[in-house]
Every structure is written in structure tokens, then in C-alpha cells.
Amino acid sequence: MSTLTGLPSVERSKLAELALAAIAQRRDELIAISRDIHAHPELSYEEVHAHALLSDALERWGFRVERGVGGTPTAFRASAGSGAPTIAFLAEYDALPEIGHACGHNLIAMSNVGAALGAKAALGDTPGTIEVVGTPAEEGGGGKIRLIEAGVFDGVDVALSSHPGSHLTVIPEKLEGPGGLLAMIGFRYAYHGRSAHAAVAPHEGINALNAVLRLFSGIDALRQHLRDDVRIHGVITDGGKAPNVVPDFAAANFMLRARDREYLAEVVEKVRGVAEGAALETGARLELQPYYPLPTPSGTHGMYENFRPNLPLTLRARANAPRAGLALDEPPAGPRHGAGGPSSDIGNVSQRVPTFNLSFAVAKTPTPGHSPAMREAAITDLAHRNALAVAGTLALTAVDVLTDPALLEAARADFADRGTAMEGTR
């Protein structure tokens, strides 16, 4: 039984061995789960197969499973143990349109379910709760935002997760600057014009496509007056049907990103001004629609928040990696390439509880995310070996949180300090 001062290191080491042994015992089953999810790619909020596969497996392995948690049919929560602290492992399993699991979410599901198995095996009589939260729709759907709104993360003390990267596994010794995930929000800018014969009576038409083109050019002019970390990227989804008809409808979808949510809110308003200007120039009517992430059932259009890192959890994971067999790489030499980065709704979780997210290698050479090459890398033996080692690293970190109250206190203090620092920059 743990005490307020935590377990002795010898006892903690024994629990760590139990955790690693449990993961090793389920090795083949975990890999089979990854391969099954990879072979059945499902889009946001349509992950029926993955939801059933993971829920059934966790039930077989002794977890209490709540399906459709938070009012989201393809979300779940699997629990073991009781009492505080509560450690949640976040599993993702949605795919991308057309190219399937080109972000490797099959590996996220595998590694976090494996980590929970290990932590559960080590739990014994130690007070604490292990959870696997199945979080659908990370790819723009904002599944974690819905679950936060529904209270699924209420009472969680620490969140742990993982994400396949390219060819490097890096757990830093110190944290500088932003947490690597940008805040993100997206809109659909739709313009309504008036059709006319483009040759006979063009003066009678209002060209909606011209409004979209002015939107793009206005945003390009705006870029030089924005911070270097801002990313704005969009596609034209509707632009007319025939060149001899003045388009009466045109639309474009844009994602807007920035290092922090406060500045992103400013960027949103600047782009709105550009969009309204495009409507004024052309005479078209602007319809601004929330698009990324999808609005929650209550109608809220949130944003993917920037990631708030946690140094105590990061350092403990770094210390645990060798024991779990996870080989670490040095960060790339020289200045960081660019100031941008991806976005994820795990950022929203990290703004509410201390969170650690481990990025791990799936290839031997640089491999771009959201590409066919990444899709193929996510099913290799190398990717599965590393995912198992990641599961072990996260499980050992969970054991430390459960048995070392000082670690949990330090994680909470770091979380609070970073929140205060963010407030001071506003």
C-alpha cells in the first residue's frame, strides 16, 4: 500500500517489472489491434469498428468499459482501480479522407491501450485509477473538445498519450518556447452572388468566385503583418460549374493556426475583415461558417488549443524510456525549421490537466505526415516495436505518478506556473 511519502524505490521497481511484463504478454494482441484498425480506416465520428474492437479488448482484459461516453457514440472510457490519482491514457483511432491511417492513429490506440494494460498490472493494492479514454475525431472533428464539454475529463489528474512522428524519438531534457502544437481553428467562407451569361450579360451577374479569389489575395497581403508562427492555409471547394456562367456561389475552407490561442483570436478577426472586404469589393454576400473543429452538440465552435507541456512528466518519461526499450534520439542540430507545427485537440486537454504526449519514430528516414509514405510506415515492424516501447515508457511513468506523490505535486505546480506565464503574455 502506498503512503503519503510514496513507495520505496525497490518496491516501485517491482511494480515497473509487472507493468512491462503485462505489455510483453499482450504483444501479439496489441499488434493485431493496430493492424486491424489500420486495415479498416474510419473517418471522424464514424469509428464504429475501432470503437468496438478496443472496447471489447479492454473488457476482456478486466477493464470497466463505458461505451458512447460523453454523448459521443464512438467514444469510450475504460477504467481499472479506484480512488485518486486518476491517470488517463488517450487513444485515437480516426483516419484521414482518401489516404486512411496516414497519421498513424492505429499506433496511438495500440500504444495507449498497451500502456494502460501495464499500469493496471502494476496497480495492485495501490490507490489510484487507470483510464483509457477513447477519443474519436482528432482529425479536425474535435472529439476531445466534446468530451471535455461533457465532463469526461473531470477528475483526471494526469493525461498521457503518444503520437507517431517521422524518424526521430525525442524526449527533451528541457522545455523552451511553445509545446510544439499550434492553436488552430477553421472556417468556411462561402460567397453568394448572382448568375448571368458570362458573354451576353456579364454586367447582370455578381461573381462569387471573384470574391473567393480576393479572399486569397487579401490573406496573402495580410501575411507580412502577422507573426512568424502563424499559418493560414485553404482550398477552394466550390468555384462554379461552367466558364460561360457567372458563378453565383463559391466557397473556400481555411485553417488558421498560431502559437497561442490569444493571438489566434486576433488572426481570426483580421481574416474576417479580409473576407468582408472581398464581399464588399465584389457585391457578393459572405456566409461565414464554423468548420474546424466541428461545432459541439451544444453549438460551441471551439478551437484546437496550443499544447501546454509539463516538465516533470517529460523528465520522468525520459528517465523511463531506456528501461522500456525505447531508444531516444538527439534533437536535430541547429535552429528549428520554421515556427509552425501541427495541431491537435490534445492541446485542449493539456490546458486543463498536466499532460505528456510522446512523439516516436516510425521510419528510419524523414517521412512526412499525412502522406501515403506515413500510412505505410504506420504498419511496419519498426513502428510496432517502437509503439510497444512507448507503451512501456508511458506505463512506467504512470506507475511513478501513482506511487510518488512528489511527482504529482511537481506536475501540478509546473502546470500552474505555465498557466501563470501564459497569462502574463496576454
Side-chain angles (χ1 to χ4, degrees):
M1 181 73 70
S2 67
T3 68
L4 291 177
T5 57
L7 287 178
S9 59
V10 173
E11 293 300 317
R12 196 176 299 137
S13 181
K14 291 179 180 178
L15 296 182
E17 289 301 322
L18 290 174
L20 295 177
I23 295 170
Q25 181 183 8
R26 300 290 185 186
R27 175 186 182 280
D28 292 344
E29 293 171 84
L30 290 168
I31 292 174
I33 285 174
S34 170
R35 292 189 179 280
D36 195 340
I37 293 175
H38 191 278
H40 299 87
E42 298 167 300
L43 301 181
S44 292
Y45 299 117
E46 298 176 6
E47 311 95 330
V48 175
H49 179 82
H51 175 268
L53 178 71
L54 294 167
S55 298
D56 289 348
L58 287 161
E59 269 186 342
R60 289 197 308 272
W61 297 333
F63 285 82
R64 306 180 297 273
V65 179
E66 304 168 72
R67 303 173 191 241
V69 71
T72 303
T74 55
F76 67 85
R77 176 168 52 200
S79 307
S82 61
T86 296
I87 302 169
F89 296 95
L90 311 186
E92 299 173 9
Y93 34 85
D94 60 320
L96 290 157
E98 298 186 8
I99 56 174
H101 279 289
C103 203
H105 289 193
N106 56 302
L107 298 169
I108 300 176
M110 168 193 171
S111 57
N112 284 280
V113 167
L117 274 171
K120 176 179 179 291
L123 192 59
D125 295 329
T126 303
T129 303
I130 301 298
E131 293 184 349
V132 181
V133 181
T135 61
E138 187 275 338
E139 295 291 354
K144 296 180 188 64
I145 299 174
R146 293 193 180 193
L147 298 184
I148 289 169
E149 187 176 275
V152 173
F153 288 97
D154 293 354
V156 171
D157 294 285
V158 167
L160 302 175
S161 195
S162 61
H163 200 293
S166 176
H167 62 298
L168 298 175
T169 302
V170 177
I171 304 178
E173 293 184 86
K174 56 184 178 179
L175 300 177
E176 298 177 345
L181 294 175
L182 301 181
M184 182 275 286
I185 195 168
F187 295 91
R188 178 170 173 81
Y189 300 88
Y191 290 92
H192 300 268
R194 183 169 63 239
S195 62
H197 195 295
V200 175
H203 57 283
E204 294 180 358
I206 296 177
N207 195 317
L209 178 58
N210 279 349
V212 168
L213 296 178
R214 296 302 294 169
L215 172 65
F216 272 84
S217 64
I219 288 174
D220 286 341
L222 178 65
R223 294 183 198 277
Q224 65 180 308
H225 304 293
L226 300 174
R227 286 185 341 200
D228 290 345
D229 57 282
V230 173
R231 297 291 184 268
I232 304 176
H233 36 101
V235 295
I236 298 175
T237 60
D238 300 86
K241 303 299 183 183
N244 61 341
V245 178
V246 174
D248 64 352
F249 178 76
N253 296 345
F254 275 88
M255 284 185 171
L256 295 75
R257 307 180 198 245
R259 187 175 60 238
D260 58 81
R261 53 190 174 180
E262 290 76 23
Y263 189 66
L264 179 58
E266 296 181 27
V267 173
V268 167
E269 290 308 307
K270 290 177 183 291
V271 175
R272 179 196 291 269
V274 171
E276 291 173 346
L280 185 62
E281 284 185 84
T282 59
R285 177 175 61 84
L286 170 65
E287 180 184 3
L288 185 59
Q289 303 170 342
Y291 205 75
Y292 305 105
L294 298 175
T296 65
S298 69
T300 301
H301 180 217
M303 67 170 63
Y304 278 24
E305 299 185 43
N306 50 289
F307 189 80
R308 187 191 297 193
N310 192 277
L311 184 59
L313 294 177
T314 299
L315 293 180
R316 193 57 64 98
R318 181 179 173 87
N320 285 327
R323 187 169 187 176
L326 183 63
L328 299 182
D329 298 296
E330 292 299 318
R336 182 180 171 187
H337 177 66
S343 306
S344 172
D345 54 6
I346 195 173
N348 299 67
V349 178
S350 78
Q351 295 291 346
R352 288 155 180 82
V353 300
T355 303
F356 172 69
N357 191 37
L358 202 169
S359 178
F360 62 97
V362 297
K364 293 182 179 180
T365 57
T367 304
H370 291 198
S371 71
M374 177 59 73
R375 178 187 62 208
E376 300 311 312
I379 202 67
T380 60
D381 290 342
L382 170 62
H384 286 138
R385 284 197 304 272
N386 282 348
L388 288 166
V390 166
T393 302
L394 295 179
L396 296 184
T397 304
V399 170
D400 288 342
V401 173
L402 289 167
T403 59
D404 184 0
L407 173 60
L408 180 56
E409 291 174 8
R412 286 171 170 165
D414 185 89
F415 174 82
D417 288 345
R418 292 180 190 278
T420 300
M422 290 175 61
E423 291 286 344
T425 63
R426 295 176 190 174

